Amino acid sequence: MRLVSGTAQPTAHAEHRFRTDGAGTWTQQRRGGGEWLTQYTFDLTPVPDIDYAMGSWYLTHHPGSHFRTGLVAAYSGADRRATLAGTRYTLRRTDGRTEERELTTSAEVIRVLEAEFGIDTSGVAGLEQRIRTAHLG
């Protein structure tokens, strides 16, 4: 996408735009259900590579990182974008239809990971219990 303020830019999955406040703060927005929803806020200040390395380390190693304590998956295909956050499954189709549902069992979560995301979970020991512990209480 081009970094141009206020111009709607269609993609296969949604319409996006950037906005700036004129003082250096930018937002990236996605049109969802007719409204513009802010997804990111950022500025154009250069960031040293070490800052990315530290952030990456935290996300993959720190015990409090949501990537270590929870389940996150995303898939973009030609006609859809699927996301899974814990037990919340969302399917956004390119024709604008959105389906959301709460998965209620660890077996259902595993079925969605395999069928909708193409993930082979057979080699993950104790996955059902790990899903129950992290997301189903």
Side-chain angles (χ1 to χ4, degrees), residues 43-58:
D43 62 33
L44 301 180
T45 304
V47 178
D49 287 344
I50 190 67
D51 287 356
Y52 290 111
M54 189 61 190
S56 179
W57 182 92
Y58 174 85

Side-chain angles (χ1 to χ4, degrees), residues 69-137:
T69 60
L71 179 60
V72 179
Y75 172 82
S76 292
D79 64 340
R80 65 190 172 102
R81 174 161 172 74
T83 58
L84 181 64
T87 57
R88 186 72 175 162
Y89 175 64
T90 304
L91 180 63
R92 290 183 177 87
R93 300 186 186 277
T94 54
D95 65 6
R97 291 179 297 144
T98 298
E99 303 166 31
E100 294 182 82
R101 73 178 199 260
E102 195 69 31
L103 308 178
T104 58
T105 68
S106 56
E108 188 177 16
V109 172
I110 290 170
R111 187 193 59 73
V112 166
L113 286 170
E114 293 177 347
E116 302 299 326
F117 294 88
I119 298 172
D120 178 5
T121 65
S122 63
V124 183
L127 183 57
E128 284 196 45
Q129 181 58 45
R130 291 165 69 184
I131 292 168
R132 274 194 297 275
T133 300
H135 299 290
L136 298 170

